[in-house]
Amino acid sequence: MSTGQTNQAAEHQLKEDSDGHGDNQRNASEAHKAQNNSKAIVAKPGDIICGRGFHIANHRGNLDFHFIINTYREEYLSSKRPHKTRITKHVLKEIKSSGARFIKSVSNGSNVDTWEEVDYATAYKKVSHALRLRITN
């Protein structure tokens, strides 16, 4: 942005602030940004769904997730804590690099499933919890 454009933008901002319309426009813009930050997404077959139930456990992404988890479980269970953290991060990176996302259902008041991607900490917890589980059969 050139100095002239910067000055024009600053003058425009001052004008908005002095006439009282700037706050309303800014608030609407901030609300729009906040709404877009928690975007509803379309679930893909490879996504890992966070939740419980038969339909979730048998989702292709969740089946792939548990296949990867089973590959690392024995090493994870026999490792000391610092190495467990590295394994968890490695598994999470492997899953993310495949294009899979960790998603959860969001209620929107209708019968249509709406999904949003979970944050890194939630995905990390899901991976570490799955690694800790012992398979009984």
Side-chain angles (χ1 to χ4, degrees):
M1 194 180 254
S2 72
T3 307
Q5 289 173 326
T6 305
N7 289 341
Q8 287 175 343
E11 288 173 11
H12 182 70
Q13 184 66 43
L14 286 173
K15 182 181 180 310
E16 285 181 350
D17 289 343
S18 66
D19 69 7
H21 296 298
D23 289 338
N24 289 339
Q25 291 171 345
R26 242 187 325 281
N27 289 342
S29 175
E30 288 170 5
H32 181 69
K33 285 179 188 173
Q35 186 178 19
N36 285 342
N37 284 342
S38 60
K39 287 186 215 171
I41 59 174
V42 176
K44 298 185 293 188
D47 289 339
I48 294 125
I49 300 174
C50 299
R52 297 167 53 152
F54 183 76
H55 69 288
I56 291 174
N58 288 317
H59 179 73
R60 193 190 98 209
N62 290 54
L63 294 172
D64 294 345
F65 169 72
H66 286 289
F67 179 80
I68 294 169
I69 291 296
N70 288 335
T71 304
Y72 292 95
R73 180 175 285 118
E74 201 170 310
E75 180 185 359
Y76 181 88
L77 293 172
S78 64
S79 297
K80 301 265 186 225
R81 187 178 186 111
H83 190 59
K84 287 180 178 185
T85 301
R86 284 193 295 275
I87 293 169
T88 303
K89 287 179 180 178
H90 176 77
V91 170
L92 191 52
K93 185 177 179 181
E94 184 177 328
I95 291 167
K96 291 279 195 173
S97 70
S98 74
R101 302 170 296 182
F102 289 83
I103 61 175
K104 68 177 182 178
S105 180
V106 179
S107 176
N108 64 356
S110 71
N111 289 337
V112 178
D113 282 334
T114 305
W115 305 98
E116 72 179 18
E117 192 167 359
V118 301
D119 61 3
Y120 180 85
T122 303
Y124 182 93
K125 287 177 189 174
K126 182 166 181 70
V127 170
S128 63
H129 183 257
L131 286 165
R132 285 192 305 271
L133 291 176
R134 294 185 186 273
I135 303 299
T136 55
N137 42 349

